[in-house]
Amino acid sequence: MVHIKEGYKQLIELANEARRRAYAPYSNYAVGAALRTRTGRVFTGINIENAAYPTTICAERVAVFKAVSEGERDFEVLAVVTDNGGSPCGSCRQVLAEFGLETVVLIADGNNKLLKVTSVGDLLPEAFQPQHLKKNG
Ligand code: THU
């Protein structure tokens, strides 16, 4: 039997619940995310598409931006739910990397089934990070 960590199941359920509010009339690919910070707060996100396609934003980035705009930057774990277990896109990986490579990433499907436990660092090897912009970085 696979034991999943404290709160992971709940976080996946929150992401999947949020997914119902996805605004994805063009792709019909609904994505939900739930990001838990080290203070225990949870920020959900959904993908929000636009008739001008490139202005669409992913669920993961909505969750990150909500957290950061509320003063939360220490992320512990992010759950991402799609119908078929899709993985965060490259842009979302980069945005997550800004705030740490240790953040755990849970990939789940529409039945709340946990398919993968990984981390931002594993999803984005050799990430370009804030320290690279420092003088002696
Ligand atoms: N999408 C996300 O929300 N997160 C990802 O990491 C992958 C893609 C959204 C964007 C778009 O609304 C739809 O999924 C299809 O690309």
Coordinates of all heavy atoms in Angstrom, one line a residue, residues 23-24 27 29 31 46-49 56-60 80 87-89 92, ligand 1:
Y23 N -11.3 28.3 -16.9 CA -12.0 29.0 -18.0 C -11.1 28.6 -19.2 O -10.1 29.2 -19.5 CB -11.9 30.5 -17.8 CG -12.5 31.3 -19.0 CD1 -13.9 31.3 -19.2 CD2 -11.7 32.0 -19.9 CE1 -14.4 31.9 -20.3 CE2 -12.2 32.7 -21.0 CZ -13.6 32.6 -21.2 OH -14.1 33.3 -22.3
A24 N -11.6 27.5 -19.9 CA -10.8 27.0 -21.0 C -11.7 26.6 -22.2 O -11.8 25.5 -22.6 CB -10.1 25.7 -20.5
S27 N -9.4 25.4 -25.5 CA -8.7 24.0 -25.5 C -9.6 23.0 -24.9 O -9.4 21.8 -25.1 CB -7.4 24.1 -24.7 OG -7.7 24.2 -23.3
Y29 N -9.3 22.1 -22.0 CA -8.4 21.3 -21.2 C -8.3 22.1 -19.8 O -7.6 23.1 -19.7 CB -7.0 21.2 -21.8 CG -6.0 20.3 -21.2 CD1 -6.2 18.9 -21.3 CD2 -5.0 20.8 -20.4 CE1 -5.3 18.0 -20.7 CE2 -4.1 19.9 -19.8 CZ -4.2 18.5 -19.9 OH -3.4 17.7 -19.3
V31 N -7.4 22.8 -16.1 CA -6.3 22.6 -15.2 C -6.6 23.2 -13.8 O -7.1 24.4 -13.8 CB -4.9 23.1 -15.7 CG1 -3.8 22.7 -14.8 CG2 -4.7 22.6 -17.1
I46 N -6.4 28.2 -11.5 CA -7.1 27.6 -12.7 C -6.5 28.2 -13.9 O -6.0 29.3 -13.9 CB -8.6 27.8 -12.7 CG1 -8.9 29.3 -12.6 CG2 -9.3 27.0 -11.6 CD1 -10.3 29.6 -13.0
N47 N -6.6 27.5 -15.0 CA -6.1 28.1 -16.3 C -7.2 29.1 -16.8 O -8.4 28.8 -16.6 CB -5.7 27.1 -17.4 CG -6.7 26.0 -17.6 OD1 -7.5 25.6 -16.8 ND2 -6.7 25.6 -18.9
I48 N -6.8 30.2 -17.3 CA -7.7 31.2 -17.7 C -7.3 31.6 -19.2 O -6.3 32.2 -19.4 CB -7.7 32.5 -16.8 CG1 -8.0 32.1 -15.3 CG2 -8.7 33.5 -17.3 CD1 -7.8 33.2 -14.3
E49 N -8.1 31.1 -20.1 CA -7.8 31.3 -21.5 C -8.4 32.7 -22.0 O -9.1 33.3 -21.3 CB -8.3 30.1 -22.3 CG -7.7 28.9 -21.9 CD -8.0 27.6 -22.7 OE1 -9.0 27.7 -23.5 OE2 -7.3 26.6 -22.6
T56 N -3.4 33.7 -22.5 CA -3.9 32.6 -21.6 C -2.8 32.5 -20.5 O -1.6 32.6 -20.7 CB -4.0 31.3 -22.4 OG1 -5.1 31.4 -23.2 CG2 -4.1 30.1 -21.4
I57 N -3.4 32.2 -19.3 CA -2.4 31.9 -18.2 C -2.7 30.5 -17.6 O -3.9 30.1 -17.5 CB -2.4 33.0 -17.1 CG1 -1.4 32.7 -16.0 CG2 -3.8 33.2 -16.5 CD1 -0.5 33.8 -15.7
C58 N -1.7 29.9 -17.2 CA -1.8 28.5 -16.6 C -2.2 28.5 -15.2 O -2.0 29.5 -14.4 CB -0.5 27.8 -16.7 SG 0.1 27.4 -18.3
A59 N -2.8 27.4 -14.8 CA -3.3 27.3 -13.4 C -2.2 27.4 -12.4 O -2.4 28.1 -11.3 CB -4.0 25.9 -13.2
E60 N -1.0 26.9 -12.7 CA 0.1 26.9 -11.7 C 0.5 28.4 -11.4 O 0.8 28.7 -10.3 CB 1.3 26.1 -12.2 CG 1.0 24.6 -12.5 CD 0.5 24.3 -13.9 OE1 -0.3 25.1 -14.4 OE2 0.9 23.3 -14.4
V80 N -1.1 19.6 -9.0 CA -1.6 20.0 -10.3 C -2.5 18.9 -10.8 O -2.1 17.7 -10.8 CB -0.4 20.2 -11.3 CG1 -1.0 20.6 -12.7 CG2 0.6 21.2 -10.8
S87 N 1.7 17.6 -17.0 CA 2.8 18.1 -16.2 C 2.9 19.6 -16.4 O 2.6 20.1 -17.5 CB 4.1 17.4 -16.6 OG 5.1 17.6 -15.7
P88 N 3.4 20.4 -15.4 CA 3.5 21.8 -15.6 C 4.4 22.2 -16.8 O 5.4 21.6 -17.1 CB 4.2 22.3 -14.3 CG 3.9 21.3 -13.3 CD 3.8 20.0 -14.1
C89 N 4.0 23.2 -17.5 CA 4.7 23.7 -18.7 C 6.0 24.4 -18.4 O 6.2 24.7 -17.2 CB 3.8 24.6 -19.6 SG 3.8 26.3 -18.9
C92 N 5.7 27.7 -16.4 CA 5.4 27.5 -15.0 C 6.5 27.0 -14.2 O 6.8 27.4 -13.1 CB 4.2 26.6 -14.9 SG 2.7 27.4 -15.5
Ligands
THU1 N1 -2.1 24.7 -19.0 C1 -2.0 24.9 -17.7 O1 -2.9 25.5 -17.0 N2 -0.9 24.4 -17.1 C2 0.1 23.8 -17.7 O2 1.2 23.6 -17.1 C3 -0.1 23.3 -19.1 C4 -1.1 24.0 -19.8 C5 -3.3 25.2 -19.7 C6 -3.1 26.3 -20.6 C7 -4.2 26.2 -21.6 O3 -5.3 26.9 -21.1 C8 -4.5 24.7 -21.6 O4 -3.9 24.2 -20.5 C9 -4.0 24.0 -22.8 O5 -2.7 24.3 -23.1

